[in-house]
Amino acid sequence: MLIDVAFTPSEVQAIDTKVCVVVDVIRASSSLTVICSKKPESLILTTTIMKTNKIASQLTVHPLLCGERKGLPPEGFDFGNSPAEYYRADLAGKTIIFTSSNGTRAIADVIVASKVYLGCFLNAGSVAKKALDYAVTHNKDISFVCAGREEKFAIDDAYCAGYLVSRLVSSIPSDKEFVLGDGAQAALGIFGYYRDDRKLLEMSGAGKNVIEIGLADDLTFLLQRDLIEVVPELITDNNPNPEYGFSVYL
């Protein structure tokens, strides 16, 4: 089993053979993990505001429009992209359409993967276990896919991916062979080098943006380890009813 990290979605090779864990820690994968924990009726991801509005207009029940551009909710949206805000919200039974600047694009880029999960600090232990169990059972490789920022390397996603790799590796049975790809080794190095996770996020481009728009508390919230056991999972024809599923509208 090969365990690797792609620092942008474009780096993933042979996507259809991989278990992909998408990481957009500031903030989409964190927010979507919280949203799924609130047990909405359905969760639909889109890559553009136009697609969000198009889907909303076709539904008989008005959905909650959620997400961001430049960190803030677009005009007419019900919620932004704050995991802390979602944690306080009542979303049970709601239909939610979500779009973001980087995270939903990254998820859309890997939808042909054998399995797609969303990972962050909040569900680290659960997503590591879920990805490992599926990979072992189905003889698949695992790729942690960083959303990046504007299709470029993002230190916050790389740091989180390194942490997730460390959690996964620590849970691999001693009789199971695995290989760490160069990306995974680099991510582990980044995670091991930075001792102050809050400072790292504050220095990142995404972290600076969150602070500038007055949502610094999001950084404190999303750094919590294993707060939530939920693992968001892409709905597919082979698995139409995952426990915490989401779909992607292309």
Side-chain angles (χ1 to χ4, degrees), residues 155 194-204 211 219 223:
I155 190 70
Y194 289 97
R195 299 299 181 183
D196 188 334
D197 52 12
R198 174 60 188 243
K199 185 176 181 180
L200 170 72
L201 295 194
E202 290 175 349
M203 293 189 307
S204 70
I211 293 170
L219 302 183
L223 278 168

Side-chain angles (χ1 to χ4, degrees), residues 28-235:
S29 63
S30 300
S31 291
L32 290 167
T33 296
V34 176
I35 289 171
C36 284
S37 75
K38 297 294 184 172
K39 299 183 178 179
E41 176 66 27
S42 63
L43 174 58
I44 304 166
L45 310 189
T46 74
T47 55
T48 69
I49 296 172
M50 183 180 295
K51 290 176 182 177
T52 299
N53 291 328
K54 180 179 180 179
I55 298 172
S57 69
Q58 295 171 344
L59 297 176
T60 55
V61 177
H62 185 71
L64 292 177
L65 304 185
C66 303
E68 56 77 29
R69 287 297 182 272
K70 297 183 179 179
L72 295 171
E75 184 178 354
F77 273 45
D78 300 284
F79 290 93
N81 190 17
S82 168
E85 182 182 18
Y86 288 121
Y87 195 69
R88 298 186 295 267
D90 179 9
L91 305 176
K94 307 292 186 180
T95 295
I96 295 172
I97 308 177
F98 183 96
T99 184
S100 71
S101 301
N102 299 295
T104 52
R105 170 194 51 78
I107 296 164
D109 285 345
V110 301
I111 60 170
V112 298
S114 178
K115 186 71 71 173
V116 179
Y117 300 118
L118 305 186
C120 56
F121 292 113
L122 299 173
N123 71 346
S126 296
V127 74
K129 182 179 187 305
K130 193 97 169 179
L132 179 61
D133 287 349
Y134 186 88
V136 169
T137 302
H138 296 85
N139 194 29
K140 300 292 184 181
D141 295 329
I142 300 173
S143 182
F144 292 91
V145 182
C146 300
R149 193 160 188 252
E150 298 176 358
E151 302 183 24
K152 297 179 181 179
F153 175 86
I155 190 70
D156 48 301
D157 290 342
Y159 179 86
C160 184
Y163 176 69
L164 294 176
V165 170
S166 73
R167 293 292 298 269
L168 187 144
V169 168
S170 68
S171 63
I172 296 177
S174 58
D175 61 343
K176 178 64 179 178
E177 294 185 1
F178 66 93
V179 175
L180 290 177
D182 288 355
Q185 295 182 57
L188 283 171
I190 291 170
F191 170 66
Y193 178 79
Y194 289 97
R195 299 299 181 183
D196 188 334
D197 52 12
R198 174 60 188 243
K199 185 176 181 180
L200 170 72
L201 295 194
E202 290 175 349
M203 293 189 307
S204 70
K208 288 177 181 177
N209 181 63
V210 167
I211 293 170
E212 287 173 1
I213 61 177
L215 294 173
D217 286 349
D218 276 2
L219 302 183
T220 301
F221 180 87
L222 61 82
L223 278 168
Q224 297 174 94
R225 270 63 163 172
D226 300 318
L227 178 68
I228 298 171
E229 295 182 353
V230 166
V231 180
E233 178 178 344
L234 177 66
I235 296 169

